[in-house]
Short mmCIF file of all heavy atoms in Angstrom, two decimals:
data_model
loop_
_atom_site.label_atom_id
_atom_site.label_comp_id
_atom_site.label_asym_id
_atom_site.label_seq_id
_atom_site.Cartn_x
_atom_site.Cartn_y
_atom_site.Cartn_z
N VAL W 1 88.70 85.41 87.95
CA VAL W 1 88.16 84.32 87.16
C VAL W 1 87.28 84.93 86.08
O VAL W 1 86.37 85.71 86.37
CB VAL W 1 87.35 83.33 88.03
CG1 VAL W 1 86.77 82.24 87.18
CG2 VAL W 1 88.22 82.76 89.12
N VAL W 2 87.57 84.61 84.83
CA VAL W 2 86.77 85.11 83.72
C VAL W 2 86.03 83.96 83.07
O VAL W 2 86.43 82.80 83.17
CB VAL W 2 87.63 85.86 82.67
CG1 VAL W 2 88.26 87.10 83.26
CG2 VAL W 2 88.68 84.96 82.06
N GLU W 3 84.93 84.26 82.39
CA GLU W 3 84.11 83.24 81.74
C GLU W 3 84.55 82.96 80.31
O GLU W 3 84.34 81.88 79.79
CB GLU W 3 82.63 83.67 81.76
CG GLU W 3 82.09 83.95 83.15
CD GLU W 3 82.15 82.73 84.06
OE1 GLU W 3 81.95 81.60 83.59
OE2 GLU W 3 82.42 82.92 85.26
N LYS W 4 85.16 83.97 79.63
CA LYS W 4 85.63 83.82 78.26
C LYS W 4 86.95 84.56 78.12
O LYS W 4 87.29 85.40 78.95
CB LYS W 4 84.58 84.32 77.27
CG LYS W 4 84.20 85.76 77.47
CD LYS W 4 83.08 86.15 76.51
CE LYS W 4 82.70 87.60 76.75
NZ LYS W 4 81.70 88.06 75.85
N PRO W 5 87.75 84.25 77.08
CA PRO W 5 89.04 84.94 76.92
C PRO W 5 88.86 86.46 76.91
O PRO W 5 87.86 86.98 76.41
CB PRO W 5 89.53 84.44 75.56
CG PRO W 5 88.87 83.13 75.39
CD PRO W 5 87.52 83.26 76.04
N LYS W 6 89.84 87.15 77.49
CA LYS W 6 89.71 88.58 77.67
C LYS W 6 91.07 89.26 77.49
O LYS W 6 92.09 88.74 77.95
CB LYS W 6 89.17 88.84 79.07
CG LYS W 6 88.86 90.26 79.39
CD LYS W 6 88.24 90.35 80.78
CE LYS W 6 87.84 91.76 81.07
NZ LYS W 6 87.23 91.92 82.35
N ILE W 7 91.06 90.44 76.85
CA ILE W 7 92.26 91.26 76.71
C ILE W 7 91.92 92.63 77.29
O ILE W 7 90.91 93.23 76.93
CB ILE W 7 92.69 91.41 75.24
CG1 ILE W 7 93.09 90.05 74.66
CG2 ILE W 7 93.85 92.40 75.13
CD1 ILE W 7 93.42 90.09 73.20
N ASP W 8 92.75 93.11 78.20
CA ASP W 8 92.56 94.43 78.81
C ASP W 8 93.76 95.31 78.53
O ASP W 8 94.90 94.86 78.59
CB ASP W 8 92.42 94.32 80.33
CG ASP W 8 91.03 93.94 80.77
OD1 ASP W 8 90.09 94.13 80.00
OD2 ASP W 8 90.89 93.45 81.91
N ALA W 50 96.77 93.14 79.96
CA ALA W 50 96.63 91.77 80.49
C ALA W 50 95.81 90.93 79.51
O ALA W 50 94.93 91.43 78.82
CB ALA W 50 95.94 91.79 81.85
N VAL W 51 96.15 89.66 79.45
CA VAL W 51 95.42 88.69 78.66
C VAL W 51 95.02 87.57 79.60
O VAL W 51 95.87 87.04 80.32
CB VAL W 51 96.29 88.12 77.51
CG1 VAL W 51 95.54 87.05 76.74
CG2 VAL W 51 96.75 89.23 76.60
N ALA W 52 93.74 87.22 79.62
CA ALA W 52 93.26 86.16 80.52
C ALA W 52 92.54 85.09 79.68
O ALA W 52 91.79 85.42 78.75
CB ALA W 52 92.31 86.73 81.56
N TYR W 53 92.75 83.82 80.04
CA TYR W 53 92.12 82.72 79.33
C TYR W 53 91.56 81.73 80.35
O TYR W 53 92.28 81.22 81.20
CB TYR W 53 93.15 82.03 78.43
CG TYR W 53 92.52 81.01 77.52
CD1 TYR W 53 91.89 81.40 76.35
CD2 TYR W 53 92.52 79.67 77.86
CE1 TYR W 53 91.29 80.48 75.53
CE2 TYR W 53 91.93 78.73 77.05
CZ TYR W 53 91.31 79.14 75.88
OH TYR W 53 90.71 78.23 75.07
N PRO W 54 90.25 81.45 80.26
CA PRO W 54 89.64 80.52 81.22
C PRO W 54 89.77 79.06 80.77
O PRO W 54 89.82 78.76 79.58
CB PRO W 54 88.17 80.95 81.20
CG PRO W 54 87.96 81.44 79.81
CD PRO W 54 89.27 82.09 79.40
N PHE W 55 89.83 78.19 81.75
CA PHE W 55 89.83 76.75 81.52
C PHE W 55 89.04 76.11 82.66
O PHE W 55 89.58 75.94 83.76
CB PHE W 55 91.26 76.21 81.46
CG PHE W 55 91.35 74.76 81.15
CD1 PHE W 55 91.12 74.30 79.86
CD2 PHE W 55 91.64 73.83 82.14
CE1 PHE W 55 91.20 72.96 79.56
CE2 PHE W 55 91.73 72.49 81.85
CZ PHE W 55 91.51 72.05 80.56
N LYS W 56 87.77 75.85 82.43
CA LYS W 56 86.83 75.35 83.44
C LYS W 56 86.77 76.33 84.61
O LYS W 56 86.41 77.47 84.44
CB LYS W 56 87.18 73.93 83.86
CG LYS W 56 87.08 72.95 82.72
CD LYS W 56 87.31 71.54 83.16
CE LYS W 56 87.22 70.62 81.95
NZ LYS W 56 87.40 69.25 82.27
N ARG W 57 87.18 75.93 85.83
CA ARG W 57 87.10 76.81 87.01
C ARG W 57 88.40 77.59 87.24
O ARG W 57 88.52 78.35 88.18
CB ARG W 57 86.80 75.96 88.25
CG ARG W 57 85.45 75.27 88.17
CD ARG W 57 85.26 74.36 89.32
NE ARG W 57 84.91 75.17 90.49
CZ ARG W 57 84.32 74.69 91.54
NH1 ARG W 57 84.01 73.42 91.61
NH2 ARG W 57 84.03 75.47 92.54
N LEU W 58 89.35 77.42 86.34
CA LEU W 58 90.67 78.04 86.48
C LEU W 58 90.87 79.06 85.36
O LEU W 58 90.49 78.82 84.21
CB LEU W 58 91.74 76.95 86.40
CG LEU W 58 93.17 77.33 86.71
CD1 LEU W 58 93.31 77.78 88.15
CD2 LEU W 58 94.08 76.13 86.46
N THR W 59 91.45 80.20 85.69
CA THR W 59 91.79 81.22 84.70
C THR W 59 93.29 81.51 84.77
O THR W 59 93.83 81.70 85.86
CB THR W 59 91.01 82.53 84.96
OG1 THR W 59 89.63 82.28 84.82
CG2 THR W 59 91.42 83.61 83.97
N PHE W 60 93.93 81.51 83.61
CA PHE W 60 95.34 81.86 83.51
C PHE W 60 95.44 83.26 82.94
O PHE W 60 94.66 83.63 82.07
CB PHE W 60 96.10 80.88 82.60
CG PHE W 60 96.17 79.49 83.14
CD1 PHE W 60 95.26 78.53 82.73
CD2 PHE W 60 97.13 79.16 84.08
CE1 PHE W 60 95.31 77.25 83.23
CE2 PHE W 60 97.18 77.87 84.59
CZ PHE W 60 96.27 76.91 84.16
N ALA W 61 96.42 84.04 83.39
CA ALA W 61 96.56 85.41 82.90
C ALA W 61 98.03 85.77 82.75
O ALA W 61 98.90 85.29 83.49
CB ALA W 61 95.89 86.39 83.86
N PHE W 104 97.15 83.10 88.05
CA PHE W 104 95.99 82.23 87.89
C PHE W 104 94.98 82.55 88.98
O PHE W 104 95.31 83.09 90.03
CB PHE W 104 96.39 80.75 87.93
CG PHE W 104 96.76 80.26 89.30
CD1 PHE W 104 95.80 79.73 90.15
CD2 PHE W 104 98.07 80.33 89.74
CE1 PHE W 104 96.15 79.30 91.41
CE2 PHE W 104 98.42 79.90 91.00
CZ PHE W 104 97.46 79.38 91.84
N ALA W 105 93.74 82.23 88.69
CA ALA W 105 92.66 82.39 89.66
C ALA W 105 91.80 81.13 89.60
O ALA W 105 91.56 80.59 88.52
CB ALA W 105 91.82 83.62 89.34
N TYR W 106 91.37 80.69 90.75
CA TYR W 106 90.55 79.48 90.84
C TYR W 106 89.26 79.80 91.57
O TYR W 106 89.27 80.40 92.64
CB TYR W 106 91.32 78.38 91.58
CG TYR W 106 90.58 77.07 91.62
CD1 TYR W 106 90.49 76.27 90.49
CD2 TYR W 106 89.95 76.65 92.79
CE1 TYR W 106 89.81 75.07 90.52
CE2 TYR W 106 89.27 75.45 92.83
CZ TYR W 106 89.19 74.67 91.68
OH TYR W 106 88.50 73.48 91.71
N ARG W 107 88.13 79.39 90.96
CA ARG W 107 86.82 79.62 91.57
C ARG W 107 86.50 78.44 92.48
O ARG W 107 86.19 77.35 92.02
CB ARG W 107 85.76 79.80 90.49
CG ARG W 107 84.39 80.10 91.07
CD ARG W 107 83.34 80.34 90.00
NE ARG W 107 83.42 79.33 88.96
CZ ARG W 107 83.23 79.57 87.66
NH1 ARG W 107 82.92 80.77 87.26
NH2 ARG W 107 83.33 78.61 86.78
N ARG W 113 86.89 83.17 95.39
CA ARG W 113 87.95 82.98 94.41
C ARG W 113 89.31 83.06 95.10
O ARG W 113 89.50 83.85 96.01
CB ARG W 113 87.91 84.07 93.34
CG ARG W 113 87.02 83.77 92.17
CD ARG W 113 85.64 84.16 92.45
NE ARG W 113 84.83 84.19 91.24
CZ ARG W 113 83.54 84.12 91.28
NH1 ARG W 113 82.91 84.00 92.41
NH2 ARG W 113 82.85 84.17 90.17
N TYR W 166 82.69 87.32 97.11
CA TYR W 166 81.66 88.13 96.44
C TYR W 166 80.42 88.17 97.31
O TYR W 166 79.72 87.17 97.46
CB TYR W 166 81.35 87.56 95.06
CG TYR W 166 82.46 87.83 94.09
CD1 TYR W 166 83.60 87.04 94.07
CD2 TYR W 166 82.40 88.91 93.22
CE1 TYR W 166 84.64 87.31 93.21
CE2 TYR W 166 83.43 89.18 92.35
CZ TYR W 166 84.55 88.38 92.35
OH TYR W 166 85.59 88.66 91.50
#
Side-chain angles (χ1 to χ4, degrees):
V1 178
V2 296
E3 303 299 324
K4 58 184 179 177
K6 185 176 183 179
I7 296 175
D8 278 339
V51 177
Y53 188 81
F55 183 74
K56 297 185 181 181
R57 297 175 78 160
L58 188 64
T59 297
F60 294 97
F104 73 90
Y106 184 75
R107 183 177 45 218
R113 272 85 166 160
Y166 287 80

